[in-house]
Amino acid sequence: MITTATGELSLPVSDRDHIRGPKNAPVTLVEYSDYECPYCGRAHFIVKELQQLTGDLMRFVYRHFPLTSVHPHAEQAAEAAEAAGAQGKFWEMHNHLLEHQQALDRKHLIEYAANLGLDVPRFSHELAEHAHVARIREDLLSGIQSGVNGTPTFFINGVRHDGSYDLRSLLAAIQNAAES
C-alpha cells in the first residue's frame, strides 16, 4: 500500500530492511536518517539506549534519507553502509559512521572498511560504481511517500512519531504502543 504524506509508513517493514531486534516484537521503531545530520548523530545514541531499555519489546529498522542538498557526504556514507552490509557488516559501519560524522569523505570510508576487516577492493569498487544507490533511493522515495521531510524521522508501528525524539518521549511512545 502506497500512501502519500499521511504520516503512515508507505513501505511496510520487510526482509529488505536493516533490522535489529526480534521479528515478533510488539513495537517496531523505523528511523529515516542521514549519516551526516548532527541531529541523527544525537538520535543514534538515544536509539541505542532505547534498544537496551526495551529489550525484546522493540525492533529497530534503519532507512536511508540522505539530505544531499545540505549534507554532501550523506549519500556516499549511505552507500558505504550498504557496501559494508553486502559483506555482513552493515550495523558495524552504521554505528561507526554516526559516531564519526565529521569524517565521511571517501578516504575515511575506505579506512573504516579496512578497520572493520572488509574486502577493501570490493568495497571501493562498489562505492565507485554506486552499486547500492538504488537501495538508498528506494528508502528515500518511501520516506517521501510517508511524509518524511527532515531527519531524523521516526515511525512507531507504522505511524509517524510527531513528538520529540528525546529518550523520555520516545520511550513513552514505545511503551504506549506496546500496551495498545
Side-chain angles (χ1 to χ4, degrees):
M1 169 175 119
I2 302 291
T3 58
T4 306
T6 63
E8 294 179 9
L9 203 56
S10 70
L11 181 63
V13 173
S14 70
D15 291 339
R16 71 165 291 286
D17 285 300
H18 298 291
I19 302 171
R20 278 213 148 149
K23 189 172 187 158
N24 63 345
V27 179
T28 299
L29 178 68
V30 175
E31 178 185 7
Y32 282 90
S33 182
D34 171 322
Y35 285 116
E36 201 168 0
C37 166
Y39 303 105
C40 297
R42 283 184 234 139
H44 169 67
F45 293 101
I46 292 166
V47 168
K48 284 176 83 169
E49 193 166 348
L50 279 171
Q51 289 172 307
Q52 290 177 338
L53 291 171
T54 60
D56 289 344
L57 181 68
M58 181 189 88
R59 68 179 173 159
F60 174 64
V61 177
Y62 182 87
R63 289 186 177 168
H64 304 285
F65 201 84
L67 300 170
T68 55
S69 62
V70 289
H71 299 136
H73 300 104
E75 187 168 80
Q76 184 170 299
E79 289 183 63
E82 290 298 325
Q87 296 186 44
K89 299 260 181 145
F90 173 83
W91 290 109
E92 293 86 345
M93 182 64 84
H94 165 86
N95 291 338
H96 202 80
L97 295 171
L98 285 166
E99 293 166 15
H100 296 88
Q101 291 183 305
Q102 72 288 354
L104 298 177
D105 58 67
R106 185 175 174 80
K107 174 184 161 247
H108 283 98
L109 297 176
I110 291 170
E111 179 184 312
Y112 302 156
N115 292 343
L116 292 174
L118 299 179
D119 175 341
V120 175
R122 174 183 167 188
F123 178 88
S124 296
H125 177 75
E126 289 179 5
L127 281 186
E129 296 297 316
H130 303 287
H132 302 284
V133 78
R135 163 61 187 272
I136 294 155
R137 295 204 173 131
E138 183 180 26
D139 279 359
L140 184 65
L141 180 59
S142 77
I144 291 167
Q145 291 170 334
S146 300
V148 174
N149 57 13
T151 57
T153 296
F154 293 96
F155 289 79
I156 298 173
N157 287 349
V159 178
R160 187 176 54 230
H161 172 74
D162 288 324
S164 175
Y165 63 87
D166 63 273
L167 180 64
R168 182 178 293 163
S169 298
L170 275 174
L171 184 58
I174 289 165
Q175 290 170 333
N176 287 341
E179 293 169 4
S180 15

